[in-house]
Amino acid sequence: VATLCGDGWFEVGAMAALYQFGSARDQQAAAQAVEGQIDVAVVATLVKWAFSASRPGADETARHWFTGSFGDSSFASGHAMSAFSTAAILGHAYQAEWLAFPLAALVAYSRVYNQAHWPADTIAGAGLGTLIGYTVVALHAQAAAQEPAIRFTAVPLDNGAQVVVSWRY
């Protein structure tokens, strides 16, 4: 069950339901979490391609890097990356990092327990996922704090009003 919770498609489906049935705050958190999942998909694909590392099932005694086999690359864990990205975003949105990160850690542990990843894979995935999640949160906070690029202001006059257009460049 924990492994399923780290599957990106599962998380996107859960966020779609949260967006559909939730409040404005829930919708914002869900949209950011889906954005995080898209970022995770890109980063995980690039990292797996770059390192092309073998999984534990391929050879129980040794880790093989740069095998050239992209199809079943182990490093870094996409499930852990996905879970930790969502934990960072939702944990921040609901001030519940104390709950979100231990649940994400269960996903990472399940990947090692099921011999789908080496411990280093899940640690790297957790780090990258956390970085992705908090980056999404920070970029949205920065965008919300900025003034709009174009602003229209009505200025009252004695005999009417005028509209002032200002823009930031």
Side-chain angles (χ1 to χ4, degrees):
V1 172
T3 291
L4 176 65
C5 292
D7 187 288
W9 291 112
F10 174 82
E11 292 182 3
V12 168
M15 292 306 105
L18 181 62
Y19 189 90
Q20 179 65 34
F21 301 111
S23 66
R25 176 182 170 192
D26 297 333
Q27 290 175 345
Q28 181 181 14
Q32 287 181 15
V34 170
E35 181 180 333
Q37 290 305 304
I38 293 167
D39 296 342
V40 162
V42 170
V43 171
T45 300
L46 292 174
V47 170
K48 286 176 181 284
W49 176 80
F51 288 96
S52 62
S54 64
R55 291 189 182 268
D59 184 350
E60 296 292 329
T61 60
R63 174 69 174 257
H64 303 285
W65 297 89
F66 310 107
T67 64
S69 172
F70 173 70
D72 196 29
S73 185
S74 177
F75 186 86
S77 170
H79 282 78
M81 205 179 302
S82 177
F84 276 84
S85 173
T86 300
I89 293 167
L90 295 183
H92 179 268
Y94 298 104
Q95 292 85 41
E97 283 101 343
W98 61 271
L99 176 62
F101 282 109
L103 292 174
L106 283 175
V107 172
Y109 174 77
S110 77
R111 301 302 288 161
V112 175
Y113 181 81
N114 291 329
Q115 297 180 345
H117 286 285
W118 300 91
D121 299 341
T122 60
I123 293 168
L128 288 169
T130 302
L131 178 65
I132 289 167
Y134 281 129
T135 299
V136 168
V137 168
L139 290 175
H140 280 269
Q142 180 183 22
Q146 290 182 354
E147 295 181 21
I150 298 175
R151 182 178 14 205
F152 298 91
T153 308
V155 178
L157 300 174
D158 290 338
N159 58 354
Q162 70 180 18
V163 175
V164 176
V165 178
S166 59
W167 63 90
R168 181 178 38 85
Y169 57 92

